[in-house]
Amino acid sequence: SVRCIKTRTPIVFNGLTYEMVTSPKTGRVWLDRNLGATKVADSGTDSAAYGDYYQWGRAKDGHSSSTSSATQIQSSDIVSGQGHFIYGWADWTTADSSGALRIAAWADGGKNDICPAGFSVPTEAELKKELKKANSTGYSVSDAASSFLRIPAAGFRDSSASGAFKNKDADVALWVRTTTGRQGRSRKFSIISQGFAPGLAIGDAQRTLGLSVRCVRDRI
């Protein structure tokens, strides 16, 4: 396993205390756990380390809680104004179809900023550099859990009416602050344990899915 290198003073944010860890590969500084997690993952199936489940580009407005209720009513703005998990659509808002506004909104100081001051949701390029075997079937869920980021297999929250949680203890799914040319879709990282091609994949997903988020400190 890769040892976490803790750096600097812990951060108290939204009632939780986070440590910072430095990447042995890039030197970038990351939070030591997923947003909303009460502890660092001891294993890929450590449920206390799963954290919150965010819809892409959305603020911490209550929807990311695993106990939030669901609605099918889309927002008309990138600030939702309510805390329900929005289901039944490819996107949770009728605004910002390209996703460009929400890329900025999820950056440090943006209107939907969900990370501590000085941190942002990472871009696809930033997270990809940390994953040693990007796009390789050799990268496993256990590799993610034993990496310096200690990424657990939190699965995801479905965008159906039930808002069911799927693939907990089996798959990793992380949003990045990067969009695509496809309406209602943005980029995500997945590490799956089973299926036709188990391993790490970087692809598109509809923005109403609830996925984990890990924050990276901005370069100074």
Side-chain angles (χ1 to χ4, degrees):
S1 65
V2 178
R3 184 179 180 184
C4 292
I5 304 172
K6 295 183 178 181
T7 60
R8 301 176 177 82
T9 304
I11 297 172
V12 178
F13 182 66
N14 289 332
L16 295 172
T17 301
Y18 297 86
E19 301 278 354
M20 290 174 277
V21 293
T22 300
S23 167
K25 186 174 182 181
T26 67
R28 297 297 299 276
V29 175
W30 296 75
L31 294 187
D32 64 347
R33 71 197 75 170
N34 291 347
L35 279 179
T38 58
K39 64 186 291 293
V40 176
D42 291 327
S43 69
T45 59
D46 187 348
S47 60
Y50 288 168
D52 294 332
Y53 293 81
Y54 283 90
Q55 295 184 307
W56 187 83
R58 198 169 166 186
K60 185 176 176 62
D61 51 19
H63 84 280
S64 60
S65 169
S66 61
T67 59
S68 63
S69 58
T71 181
Q72 199 171 12
I73 301 173
Q74 287 176 291
S75 173
S76 60
D77 188 74
I78 66 169
V79 177
S80 72
Q82 50 85 13
H84 299 296
F85 191 86
I86 298 171
Y87 72 90
W89 308 90
D91 206 338
W92 55 268
T93 177
T94 58
D96 186 37
S97 61
S98 72
L101 293 178
R102 281 172 285 176
I103 289 175
W106 251 7
D108 183 40
K111 66 194 310 182
N112 286 354
D113 186 7
I114 57 177
C115 296
F119 286 75
S120 298
V121 178
T123 64
E124 178 181 338
E126 288 171 329
L127 186 56
K128 187 174 182 179
K129 287 178 182 178
E130 305 295 358
L131 299 177
K132 185 177 181 181
K133 303 176 183 177
N135 282 325
S136 167
T137 56
Y139 201 100
S140 68
V141 169
S142 61
D143 288 330
S146 62
S147 72
F148 84 96
L149 285 173
R150 305 291 186 195
I151 306 171
F156 64 95
R157 188 173 183 180
D158 195 12
S159 58
S160 66
S162 67
F165 292 90
K166 296 186 175 180
N167 300 353
K168 283 186 176 182
D169 298 339
D171 299 343
V172 172
L174 289 164
W175 281 128
V176 290
R177 192 168 47 91
T178 305
T179 190
T180 72
R182 302 174 65 190
Q183 186 171 353
R185 291 182 175 268
S186 290
R187 300 290 274 174
K188 71 174 178 68
F189 279 63
S190 297
I191 304 170
I192 60 175
S193 57
Q194 300 178 23
F196 178 73
L200 187 144
I202 305 168
D204 300 351
Q206 61 187 53
R207 296 168 181 159
T208 45
L209 291 178
L211 305 185
S212 303
V213 172
R214 184 67 62 95
C215 300
V216 64
R217 196 180 72 171
D218 296 330
R219 292 187 182 274
I220 298 175

